[in-house]
């Protein structure tokens, strides 16, 4: 099984931007979907953004218009561009490979360590 390595998190003021990266030790073009998730303290992990290999995307309502998921197959890397960040975006962010966006919590890989995003008001 491959591994997932997230990076790019940090502390940012409200209204700021961050770009998260996720390097996968497998060829991501083999998979039908790629996704980013987040988990805030005391809350369940949730899907933030997903994309399919035919160009489809899906975003949580709370991040629509602010976050953009993309990938670079040559680098086996998944990105999450986050703009206009809000304090409620504070969470640990994780990437993974879901079986499909219809069942986003069914994933192929063990979860990585994630990357922490903290947004101050």
């Amino acid at each position: 099984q491959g591994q997932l390595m997230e990076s790019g998190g940090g502390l940012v003021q409200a209204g700021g931007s961050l770009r998260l990266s996720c390097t996968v030790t497998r060829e991501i073009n083999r998979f039908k979907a790629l996704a980013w998730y987040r988990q805030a303290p005391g809350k369940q992990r949730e899907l933030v953004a997903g994309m399919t290999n035919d160009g489809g995307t899906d975003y949580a309502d709370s991040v629509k218009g602010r976050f953009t998921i993309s990938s670079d197959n040559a680098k086996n890397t998944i990105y999450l561009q986050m703009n206009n960040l809000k304090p409620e975006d504070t969470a640990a962010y994780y990437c993974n490979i879901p079986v499909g966006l219809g069942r986003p919590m069914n994933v192929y890989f063990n979860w990585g360590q994630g990357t922490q995003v903290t947004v101050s008001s």
Side-chain angles (χ1 to χ4, degrees):
Q1 189 180 43
Q3 291 184 318
L4 307 165
M5 292 169 284
E6 301 95 345
S7 62
L11 174 63
V12 63
Q13 289 187 331
S17 298
L18 285 172
R19 189 175 83 152
L20 307 183
S21 298
C22 168
T23 300
V24 184
T25 59
R26 297 281 297 277
E27 294 180 353
I28 60 174
N29 61 7
R30 300 176 57 182
F31 300 100
K32 294 183 178 180
L34 311 170
W36 281 95
Y37 306 76
R38 67 185 179 189
Q39 186 169 20
K43 295 187 177 181
Q44 289 188 335
R45 190 168 295 168
E46 63 174 352
L47 177 71
V48 174
M51 62 183 295
T52 59
N53 60 4
D54 62 358
T57 56
D58 188 26
Y59 295 92
D61 288 343
S62 59
V63 308
K64 283 181 180 176
R66 300 188 297 121
F67 290 12
T68 303
I69 186 172
S70 62
S71 66
D72 184 333
N73 289 347
K75 296 181 178 179
N76 291 320
T77 301
I78 312 166
Y79 301 101
L80 185 67
Q81 178 66 44
M82 306 186 296
N83 298 327
N84 190 22
L85 283 160
K86 303 177 180 181
E88 51 265 41
D89 295 319
T90 295
Y93 284 71
Y94 304 85
C95 62
N96 215 314
I97 312 295
V99 171
L101 293 186
R103 300 174 67 183
M105 303 314 294
N106 286 9
V107 295
Y108 284 110
F109 287 43
N110 292 329
W111 294 98
Q113 293 188 338
T115 186
Q116 179 67 35
V117 172
T118 303
V119 185
S120 63
S121 57

